[in-house]
Amino acid sequence: MAPQPVVTGLSPKEGPPGTRITIRGEFLGTRPSDLIGLSICGCDCLLSAEWKSPNKIIAHTGPAKGKGDIIVTTISGGIGTSTIQFRAYHETIGPMKESAVWVEESSIQSLAWGRRNMAPVGYTQEDPLGLSIEGNDKKFPEDIRDIFPEGNGDLSQENFSPGWFLLENHHATSFEDLKAGLAYIKRKVESQKEGQLSFLKSNAGSVLDQLDTLMTIRSKIKEDNKLFGSDTLKDLENTIQSSISSSSEIFRDVLERREKADSTRAALTTLNRHKFLFCLPNSVDRCAEAGEYDIIVNDYSRARNLFGKVDIPIFCKVLEEVDIRILNIRRKLHQQLVQLPQSVEQQKKIIKTLINLEIQQADTKAADGFQAVDPAWDAIEARAKYLEATFKKACSQYSLKDANSEKSKYGGEIGELPNRVVFCEEICEIAASQLPDIWRLGQAYFAGELRGASDPKPGDFKKIILTGIEKMCVYLRSAIFYAFDHRSIRSMFPITWPTGGSTQALSQFLVYLPQCLRFIRIAYASLIQLDLPSEALDIIQKLIDEVRIFCLSSFFKRAIDKIKKLNESETWVFSVEDFPGVTVLPSVLEKIIVETLEEGQNVCMNPEIRENNLMDAHPDAQREVSQRLQDMLIAFCNVIELLAYQINEEDAHTPIVSQLIGFPNANQDGFSCRYSGLSWEQRMLCCLANCLYCDKSFFSYIGSVFVKFGYPTPKAAVDSGRTHANLLFSNLLETYVEHKGDPLVGTIEPSMYIGHFQWNTVEFNGKLRPYAQECCDNLVGVYSEIFTISPLLLHAILEPIVQTVAEELARLVSCVQDFNKGGVIQANVDIRLLRDALKLFSNDTAKSYFAEALEVIGTVSADDNRKIEDTLKVIKEQMSLQILCFSIDGL
């Protein structure tokens, strides 16, 4: 297991949510798929993580706040550690700061103790201590937020902290200057308190005049009470009320008509002045029918800003009616949002409209009638469901067609693509067109362009993308690998595609495997452009590698089928000059293998975009190639074996090779049978030559051809093929030796005792016995047949035959009970001649049998031995042509 990841560097070390940071460290993963977790200040940031190298990762921070560790998790090393921390903070937005939301520009309380600042947008305040800030440009060395986590250095904030303010603005000010600043603040406060007393001092005359006036009014009221009593005001009030009642009785009708006219005039004025509000319900309906939702959003926002806080009943009633219309539009738009197919731009437009309308209607009574939704996320889920439904529909459609074509007599019209091939193309087109739409919609959602009130769901979105890609791969596997059992796939997804199929349908489909692979690669290339996470792309890459291996395997299987039929194309024409007897069969095999390797290299071996070398990255591919080559070589050996034993019924009879017992070899019709100009024995010799050629050089050459085309060295397959060829050579050799040797050896004894011959009554006449002459002639015939086809087989065939002849002679001699002198000389001449003539093709065993035979015959005198040597010399001169044959080994 690899060491745990360690984070040692970070740039930058602080920032608001969404900050792009570069993470450096050690053992951060061996490849993109090895990275399975990234936490920054407790927030999961894996979706935005971009793996660069084992020492570098780039990511975007989440909605965290405060300091926290950066934890990296990998498959190889597990959960890591961090030696540094990242500080996340939320920026305060003011009127001078760019923002996507409205900032209320309320007036700020200044330090004038209750007086309002006349310039509310001027947030720059003078130093309350009255000190110069020159020389304080250097920043405080430590992070003040860590010292005062709940404080603030802004004078206008409620959580204002004097210590923060002093460290931020006066950390370099001397203590004496700070005391002077404190004295300055005290003077300002005292001047505020003395302001009222100084005002009275400067206006003392006016104050005295007011007091005199009040005293005069009081004296006048007392005099009036004495003259008219204390109820004067009450009588006056009664009189006024009586006059009002009388005037009302007189002018009641006039006043009613006036009030009605005033109210009508006021209503008309209100209608005319607020025509926009009263026409808004009809305007909303009209724009909704025309699809002009931008106008609806603008008009509704304007109405809420103008009349949202008004308590006038008529305005409230109209706004309630408008809220109901807006609520119905929101429901209609939400239904329209999840109805597919439609373009991503259309969905974005609807999402933005829904978000704006929801925000405007958030504080109204009508908002309770429609629960808060996340339209962007609903659109993403709708597209994911539509993708799955489209996959199922295509699978159902083409599987039904395929089932119907299987039931019919004919699989389809000539030249028509199989249904499975068309289905693969359809699935790849669906994925290449719909998955990018889901990804682009999700990117806009997480970037904040389409975000509503709900929090984003990066984990769920990642699951949607991975599930969509996995389902595409499962459907493609069910169609491409349909000849195998897919119970595991069916347990994951409800796939109704039938498995199996006829052999003809399978063969027809395998021809189009490269085309299916091309469809998958085109879809893969379109998804690579989306900058998907490596985990998602690895799913498709795994499928591509599986199809590449399967396609390569199908090429080799097709080649094996061709090799199995090579016996039909054997012409028995010799084609290898350096290896006599080898036919054109190996060259035909080489041609088939080269064509297969070229096709496999062009379709499967050459990697395309973001693909690995098939043989280096997948041991299964190496094993598959090695196994298929082994099957090819074994199939070729089986073809040779089939050709070797391809004989007629007449060929099965054992031939009689003796010329002395009246059945010459030329009369055997079975062995005069010709096949393409060659007898069965000659064809057997060609097969032996082919086996020997394969074992010695051809199969090793085939291994070098594989290496030439970029395949790994198939040493195991070549060794297995050579072993099989060697075993076949041994079996064929045993058959041929048995076929040639048994009849030859079987004629020695009858030929030796023909005419009631006895070794104890023979008179030596200085000639070779007929049985020895016939044995030598028969061996010359075998030699001639082998030398004509393949001289390289002479030793392999003649050595066991000579050994058998020597063994038979030793047996026959040992069975003789008595030799006379002539018999001893005759036996020595016969056996020594055969021994000397066959010396080149006698192995140690044969030599021991000849020696054993001579030992059984017994020793001879010096005169007899000289006589034997002279006789052998004469006979050898007479049989010089036969003996000369056995002096050429053919190597």
Side-chain angles (χ1 to χ4, degrees):
M1 186 172 181
Q4 292 182 341
V6 179
V7 177
T8 58
L10 192 65
S11 176
K13 295 184 178 180
E14 62 179 11
T19 301
R20 186 174 186 269
I21 62 174
T22 300
I23 303 171
R24 299 188 182 275
E26 298 178 349
F27 315 113
L28 301 181
T30 59
R31 56 186 181 277
S33 59
D34 193 21
L35 180 64
I36 60 172
L38 177 60
S39 174
I40 301 176
C41 297
C43 291
D44 186 8
C45 302
L46 180 61
L47 185 63
S48 64
E50 183 179 359
W51 187 90
K52 293 295 185 180
S53 69
N55 304 102
K56 181 180 178 181
I57 296 175
I58 296 177
H60 291 268
T61 61
K65 187 175 182 180
K67 276 193 173 183
D69 294 331
I70 295 87
I71 305 299
V72 177
T73 306
T74 61
I75 298 176
S76 58
I79 301 176
T81 58
S82 175
T83 60
I84 59 173
Q85 289 185 325
F86 179 81
R87 187 179 65 80
Y89 59 86
H90 293 183
E91 292 183 334
T92 302
I93 300 175
M96 302 303 292
K97 177 80 174 179
E98 292 186 3
S99 174
V101 299
W102 177 261
V103 178
E104 186 68 26
E105 296 184 4
S106 58
S107 59
I108 305 299
Q109 293 287 12
S110 69
L111 294 178
W113 286 277
R115 295 186 181 180
R116 187 177 298 274
N117 193 339
M118 297 305 295
V121 294
Y123 281 80
T124 304
Q125 303 202 15
E126 297 181 357
D127 186 3
L129 298 179
L131 300 175
S132 173
I133 60 174
E134 296 181 2
N136 293 330
D137 295 337
K138 286 183 65 178
K139 187 179 179 182
F140 190 67
E142 298 182 8
D143 193 349
I144 304 179
R145 293 185 180 88
D146 296 337
I147 303 175
F148 303 97
E150 303 297 333
N152 199 310
D154 191 354
L155 293 170
S156 61
Q157 300 296 326
E158 295 180 359
N159 58 344
F160 170 72
S161 174
W164 184 318
F165 178 82
L166 291 176
L167 289 175
E168 184 176 15
N169 297 283
H170 294 285
H171 71 277
T173 305
S174 64
F175 183 67
E176 297 298 329
D177 292 339
L178 290 176
K179 289 198 295 181
L182 177 61
Y184 173 76
I185 293 176
K186 289 181 179 181
R187 287 196 302 271
K188 289 189 69 174
V189 172
E190 292 298 331
S191 66
Q192 292 282 339
K193 293 180 179 179
E194 293 176 355
Q196 300 177 1
L197 182 59
S198 60
F199 176 78
L200 292 176
K201 290 179 179 179
S202 60
N203 298 279
S206 299
V207 173
L208 293 176
D209 291 340
Q210 292 172 5
L211 291 174
D212 292 339
T213 303
L214 290 174
M215 294 299 294
T216 304
I217 292 173
R218 181 183 180 190
S219 61
K220 291 289 185 182
I221 290 174
K222 288 181 179 181
E223 293 178 358
D224 289 341
N225 287 336
K226 291 179 180 179
L227 293 175
F228 302 104
S230 59
D231 296 334
T232 305
L233 293 177
K234 187 176 181 180
D235 293 340
L236 180 60
E237 182 182 1
N238 292 334
T239 303
I240 293 172
Q241 289 294 335
S242 177
S243 61
I244 292 174
S245 299
S246 300
S247 60
S248 297
E249 289 292 337
I250 295 173
F251 299 102
R252 180 177 299 168
D253 295 336
V254 177
L255 293 175
E256 287 178 356
R257 288 195 298 272
R258 181 181 176 183
E259 290 176 358
K260 187 176 181 180
D262 291 342
S263 62
T264 302
R265 190 180 299 107
L268 291 174
T269 303
T270 303
L271 285 173
N272 188 37
R273 181 182 301 174
H274 305 291
K275 180 180 179 181
F276 162 73
L277 176 62
F278 293 106
C279 296
L280 187 58
N282 293 331
S283 175
V284 167
D285 292 338
R286 185 171 60 255
C287 293
E289 293 178 359
E292 299 173 346
Y293 298 109
D294 293 340
I295 298 177
I296 295 176
V297 172
N298 293 333
D299 290 348
Y300 184 64
S301 176
R302 179 184 172 192
R304 295 300 307 177
N305 290 333
L306 292 175
F307 306 100
K309 298 180 181 180
V310 177
D311 296 333
I312 300 175
I314 185 63
F315 290 170
C316 294
K317 185 176 181 180
V318 174
L319 280 178
E320 289 177 0
E321 181 66 24
V322 173
D323 287 339
I324 294 174
R325 304 288 177 90
I326 295 297
L327 185 62
N328 294 332
I329 291 175
R330 286 174 59 193
R331 290 172 178 168
K332 179 181 177 181
L333 286 177
H334 191 271
Q335 294 177 356
Q336 184 179 348
L337 176 66
V338 296
Q339 291 179 356
L340 295 170
Q342 60 178 311
S343 65
V344 176
E345 297 303 323
Q346 284 180 305
Q347 281 189 312
K348 284 185 178 181
K349 183 177 179 181
I350 294 174
I351 292 169
K352 291 177 181 179
T353 302
L354 283 172
I355 292 174
N356 291 328
L357 291 178
E358 182 180 359
I359 293 173
Q360 295 295 332
Q361 208 173 23
D363 298 332
T364 62
K365 296 180 180 179
D368 298 334
F370 189 71
Q371 295 181 352
V373 294
D374 194 347
W377 184 250
D378 292 343
I380 293 173
E381 288 185 333
R383 282 200 171 273
K385 293 178 181 177
Y386 180 71
L387 175 63
E388 182 179 359
T390 310
F391 282 156
K392 289 183 178 179
K393 182 179 178 181
C395 181
S396 175
Q397 176 184 355
Y398 287 99
S399 62
L400 182 61
K401 287 183 179 180
D402 204 28
N404 293 335
S405 63
E406 286 288 338
K407 293 179 181 178
S408 62
K409 293 183 180 179
Y410 304 100
E413 298 181 1
I414 299 176
E416 183 180 358
L417 290 176
N419 292 318
R420 296 178 189 270
V421 178
V422 182
F423 171 72
C424 292
E425 182 180 9
E426 183 75 16
I427 288 294
C428 292
E429 288 181 356
I430 292 171
S433 61
Q434 295 191 26
L435 279 173
D437 291 342
I438 298 176
W439 179 257
R440 285 194 291 267
L441 197 61
Q443 292 301 101
Y445 172 63
F446 289 106
E449 180 183 352
L450 306 176
R451 188 176 301 174
S454 303
D455 294 333
K457 306 172 183 178
D460 294 342
F461 179 71
K462 180 180 180 182
K463 183 178 179 181
I464 286 175
I465 295 296
L466 295 179
T467 302
I469 294 177
E470 287 173 353
K471 288 184 177 180
M472 177 195 75
C473 295
V474 167
Y475 280 109
L476 289 172
R477 283 190 179 94
S478 69
I480 295 176
F481 308 117
Y482 73 97
F484 304 95
D485 187 11
H486 287 286
R487 280 181 244 174
S488 59
I489 299 178
R490 291 173 179 271
S491 63
M492 295 171 59
F493 300 101
I495 298 177
T496 58
W497 196 283
T499 58
S502 64
T503 305
Q504 180 181 1
L506 175 61
S507 301
Q508 184 182 8
F509 173 74
L510 290 179
V511 177
Y512 294 95
L513 262 180
Q515 195 166 346
C516 296
L517 178 60
R518 173 54 47 195
F519 295 150
I520 301 174
R521 280 174 164 171
I522 291 174
Y524 185 47
S526 64
L527 295 179
I528 289 177
Q529 297 177 358
L530 301 178
D531 195 20
L532 291 171
S534 299
E535 184 177 356
L537 296 176
D538 290 343
I539 297 174
I540 311 178
Q541 185 179 355
K542 181 181 178 182
L543 172 64
I544 291 176
D545 291 343
E546 291 176 1
V547 177
R548 289 167 69 188
I549 296 173
F550 182 63
C551 190
L552 189 64
S553 177
S554 69
F555 293 157
F556 282 109
K557 288 181 180 178
R558 194 187 311 162
I560 292 172
D561 293 337
K562 293 180 181 179
I563 293 172
K564 290 179 179 178
K565 299 178 181 179
L566 284 181
N567 60 306
E568 301 174 0
S569 60
E570 176 62 278
T571 60
W572 304 104
V573 176
F574 302 156
S575 63
V576 182
E577 296 181 359
D578 298 336
F579 219 105
V582 177
T583 64
V584 297
L585 210 60
S587 62
V588 177
L589 172 64
E590 179 184 356
K591 181 179 179 182
I592 293 174
I593 291 178
V594 169
E595 290 176 353
T596 303
L597 294 180
E598 287 179 348
E599 189 177 13
Q601 186 180 44
N602 295 332
V603 177
C604 308
M605 293 291 292
N606 293 332
E608 295 193 3
I609 303 175
R610 205 181 176 272
E611 292 181 5
N612 299 320
N613 188 299
L614 190 61
M615 295 299 162
D616 295 341
H618 297 277
D620 293 341
Q622 299 182 15
R623 288 192 293 268
E624 181 70 17
V625 171
S626 179
Q627 181 62 42
R628 295 308 170 195
L629 175 58
Q630 180 177 337
D631 295 342
M632 283 181 176
L633 301 182
I634 292 175
F636 183 72
C637 292
N638 294 335
V639 170
I640 296 176
E641 183 178 8
L642 178 63
L643 290 171
Y645 293 109
Q646 192 173 13
I647 58 177
N648 298 329
E649 293 182 359
E650 294 84 358
D651 296 329
H653 299 296
T654 304
I656 304 299
V657 297
S658 175
Q659 302 293 328
L660 301 176
I661 59 180
F663 296 97
N665 191 21
N667 293 335
Q668 300 304 314
D669 296 336
F671 291 90
S672 63
C673 176
R674 299 289 174 175
Y675 184 91
S676 300
L678 298 179
S679 65
W680 177 79
E681 291 90 344
Q682 291 172 330
R683 298 198 306 272
M684 176 68 80
L685 290 173
C686 290
C687 293
L688 283 169
N690 285 335
C691 288
L692 188 62
Y693 176 60
C694 291
D695 179 35
K696 297 299 182 182
S697 63
F698 181 64
F699 282 174
S700 299
Y701 169 72
I702 291 298
S704 66
V705 171
F706 270 73
V707 176
K708 177 181 177 182
F709 281 91
Y711 293 82
T713 304
K715 185 177 184 304
V718 171
D719 292 343
S720 176
R722 291 182 60 189
T723 302
H724 203 82
N726 192 16
L727 179 62
L728 178 60
F729 178 80
S730 300
N731 294 334
L732 296 181
L733 179 64
E734 182 180 354
T735 301
Y736 184 82
V737 169
E738 182 180 354
H739 176 75
K740 286 293 185 181
D742 289 354
L744 188 150
V745 173
T747 62
I748 295 177
E749 184 175 4
S751 300
M752 180 182 292
Y753 294 103
I754 192 171
H756 304 286
F757 172 80
Q758 297 295 327
W759 288 104
N760 57 0
T761 61
V762 64
E763 292 292 335
F764 180 68
N765 57 4
K767 296 182 181 179
L768 192 67
R769 285 286 299 162
Y771 80 91
Q773 180 75 37
E774 184 183 54
C775 182
C776 187
D777 291 341
N778 286 337
L779 286 174
V780 168
V782 175
Y783 178 94
S784 175
E785 185 178 61
I786 299 172
F787 190 86
T788 303
I789 301 300
S790 181
L792 298 176
L793 298 173
L794 286 173
H795 276 278
I797 297 175
L798 288 178
E799 282 185 4
I801 294 178
V802 170
Q803 177 181 331
T804 306
V805 169
E807 182 181 5
E808 179 66 12
L809 290 174
R811 185 187 70 82
L812 292 174
V813 171
S814 63
C815 293
V816 177
Q817 295 180 355
D818 185 22
F819 285 96
N820 63 4
K821 183 178 179 180
V824 170
I825 296 174
Q826 184 67 51
N828 269 279
V829 170
D830 295 342
I831 294 177
R832 286 186 184 184
L833 177 68
L834 292 174
R835 181 195 65 182
D836 296 342
L838 302 175
K839 178 175 61 175
L840 186 63
F841 299 99
S842 299
N843 54 24
D844 294 338
T845 304
K847 292 177 181 179
S848 65
Y849 281 132
F850 281 123
E852 179 183 348
L854 292 174
E855 184 180 355
V856 170
I857 295 172
T859 59
V860 294
S861 63
D863 295 336
D864 292 339
N865 187 53
R866 192 179 309 112
K867 183 178 181 179
I868 293 172
E869 293 293 339
D870 294 338
T871 304
L872 286 175
K873 183 177 180 181
V874 174
I875 294 174
K876 288 180 180 180
E877 290 178 356
Q878 294 174 350
M879 298 179 62
S880 60
L881 291 178
Q882 292 94 325
I883 297 175
L884 181 62
C885 290
F886 298 117
S887 65
I888 302 174
D889 58 5
L891 297 178

